[in-house]
């Protein structure tokens, strides 16, 4: 299910006004420990973190009062937080260096999902609401995008892949929409083919990931009208008018009448 442009606009306004909300479990009341846990996980998988530093981070994570259980596995870590156990591993998909640590999560998720589809992988670009400590006093709520593969959220900003249930727990993550890698590839292919009419400029990816259906409808409307609208003006493009409802109903009646006549003729022939 996707949102409308109007709904997305309200979500983005709430984000900018710090009024965006996601459900927050009771364990997050200890903001200092919560902040420490999230930072330890991110630093543990940072490519420039040394083995000694990882050992120190592991010990710090193990002592964190919010971490109920922690052990090393062949692929990474097995962590239990607030009764939810999951895996935290290096990326389960190929992620180019230009996406690692990149704050532009919208572009990361959409583009990586398209790239991995071309590699034959079934992945999805996910957009949702994340709650995470900004510092020891403030908890921010924002839109955040990740790439999902086989129940693992690959978070390029945090350099790791986390089991879906555990990720939703520790970051109070509420998934809003999902676009498959195949869909992002086909949509981009369509847009790139018509780039002469729709120059790639000034469009917030939120509109695509959260309002994919309406976004593509308006893109097609612009292509068909050949007005050369910029992406920034997609929101102002008129949607295609639906077919006349009476015409559709009349077509159905004619089709049914024809089928009845054919049935009568076949019955007469059988006699």
């Amino acid at each position: 299910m996707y949102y409308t442009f109007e709904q997305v606009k309200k979500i983005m306004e709430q984000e900018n006004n710090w009024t965006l909300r996601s459900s927050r479990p009771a364990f997050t009341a200890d903001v200092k420990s919560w902040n420490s846990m999230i930072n330890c996980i991110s630093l543990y998988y940072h490519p420039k973190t040394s083995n000694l530093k990882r050992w120190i981070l592991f010990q710090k994570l193990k002592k964190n009062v919010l971490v109920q259980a922690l052990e090393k596995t062949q692929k990474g870590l097995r962590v239990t937080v607030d009764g939810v156990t999951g895996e935290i591993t290096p990326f389960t998909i190929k992620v180019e260096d230009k996406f690692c640590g990149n704050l532009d999560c919208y572009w990361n998720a959409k583009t990586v999902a398209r790239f991995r589809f071309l590699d034959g992988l079934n992945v999805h670009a996910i957009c949702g609401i994340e709650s995470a400590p900004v510092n020891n006093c403030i908890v921010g709520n924002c839109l955040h995008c990740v790439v999902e593969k086989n129940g693992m959220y690959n978070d390029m900003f945090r350099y790791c892949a986390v089991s879906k249930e555990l990720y939703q727990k520790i970051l109070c993550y509420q998934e809003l929409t999902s676009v498959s890698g195949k869909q992002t590839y086909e949509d981009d292919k369509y847009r790139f083919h018509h780039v002469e009419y729709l120059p790639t400029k000034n469009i917030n990816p939120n509109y695509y990931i959260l309002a994919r259906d309406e976004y593509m409808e308006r893109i097609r409307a612009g292509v068909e009208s050949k007005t050369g609208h910029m992406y920034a003006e997609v929101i102002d493009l008129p949607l295609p008018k639906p077919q006349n409802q009476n015409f559709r109903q009349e077509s159905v009646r004619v089709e049914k009448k024809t089928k009845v006549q054919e049935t009568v003729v076949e019955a007469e022939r059988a006699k």
Side-chain angles (χ1 to χ4, degrees):
M1 175 184 173
Y2 297 105
Y3 294 83
T4 64
F5 269 29
E6 189 63 31
Q7 290 172 320
V8 175
K9 183 180 179 181
K10 290 179 180 178
I11 290 173
M12 293 167 64
E13 287 174 351
Q14 289 173 342
E15 182 182 32
N16 292 333
N17 297 331
W18 288 65
T19 57
L20 190 65
R21 288 288 178 264
S22 179
S23 57
R24 208 173 291 152
F27 83 88
T28 61
D30 185 351
V31 179
K32 187 175 181 179
S33 297
W34 187 24
N35 185 59
S36 176
M37 175 181 63
I38 295 172
N39 285 339
C40 283
I41 291 171
S42 300
L43 289 171
Y44 186 90
Y45 286 97
H46 194 290
K48 293 184 179 180
T49 300
S50 65
N51 288 334
L52 175 60
K53 180 67 173 176
R54 284 197 177 93
W55 182 84
I56 295 174
L57 289 168
F58 180 85
Q59 300 303 321
K60 186 176 180 180
L61 197 57
K62 196 169 187 178
K63 293 177 182 178
N64 191 297
V65 296
L66 301 181
V67 178
Q68 297 172 327
L70 174 68
E71 61 178 306
K72 289 185 178 181
T73 65
Q74 187 174 2
K75 294 182 178 180
L77 302 175
R78 181 183 294 275
V79 185
T80 301
V81 176
D82 198 31
V84 175
T85 302
E87 299 285 334
I88 304 178
T89 73
F91 294 122
T92 57
I93 56 174
K94 179 183 177 183
V95 176
E96 294 79 358
D97 291 341
K98 61 182 176 181
F99 295 110
C100 284
N102 192 340
L103 286 171
D104 191 356
C105 62
Y106 313 104
W107 180 255
N108 292 350
K110 187 179 80 70
T111 307
V112 171
R114 176 165 57 87
F115 284 173
R116 298 296 77 86
F117 168 73
L118 293 175
D119 293 338
L121 295 179
N122 181 29
V123 300
H124 289 75
I126 308 293
C127 186
I129 302 173
E130 168 193 293
S131 294
V134 177
N135 53 46
N136 289 343
C137 300
I138 301 173
V139 176
N141 297 274
C142 63
L143 292 173
H144 184 54
C145 293
V146 294
V147 176
E148 181 185 5
K149 178 196 172 190
N150 297 336
M152 298 287 285
Y153 281 151
N154 290 262
D155 188 339
M156 278 144 275
F157 176 58
R158 295 186 172 87
Y159 304 96
C160 61
V162 186
S163 297
K164 185 174 180 178
E165 293 77 11
L166 180 63
Y167 190 92
Q168 291 174 338
K169 171 61 68 173
I170 63 178
L171 288 171
C172 308
Y173 192 72
Q174 177 188 348
E175 186 176 309
L176 296 180
T177 59
S178 171
V179 185
S180 70
K182 179 181 180 181
Q183 193 69 71
T184 60
Y185 168 75
E186 292 176 348
D187 290 344
D188 280 355
K189 185 178 179 181
Y190 179 85
R191 291 185 300 187
F192 295 158
H193 180 71
H194 295 287
V195 71
E196 60 181 301
Y197 301 124
L198 296 166
T200 53
K201 185 179 180 181
N202 300 329
I203 181 67
N204 191 319
N206 283 324
Y207 283 110
Y208 172 72
I209 297 180
L210 289 176
R212 184 263 160 196
D213 288 351
E214 183 172 342
Y215 184 85
M216 290 307 298
E217 270 191 286
R218 292 182 183 274
I219 291 288
R220 289 189 177 91
V223 169
E224 291 169 4
S225 64
K226 299 186 179 182
T227 53
H229 284 281
M230 306 292 269
Y231 274 5
E233 296 170 330
V234 167
I235 194 170
D236 298 321
L237 288 174
L239 287 173
K241 292 182 179 180
Q243 292 182 352
N244 185 282
Q245 186 68 28
N246 293 333
F247 174 79
R248 287 204 300 268
Q249 291 175 350
E250 183 63 30
S251 299
V252 171
R253 282 198 294 268
V254 171
E255 185 179 354
K256 288 182 177 179
K257 184 177 179 181
T258 303
K259 288 183 177 179
V260 171
Q261 290 174 340
E262 290 176 352
T263 303
V264 172
V265 171
E266 289 177 0
E268 289 293 333
R269 287 176 179 173
K271 292 180 180 178

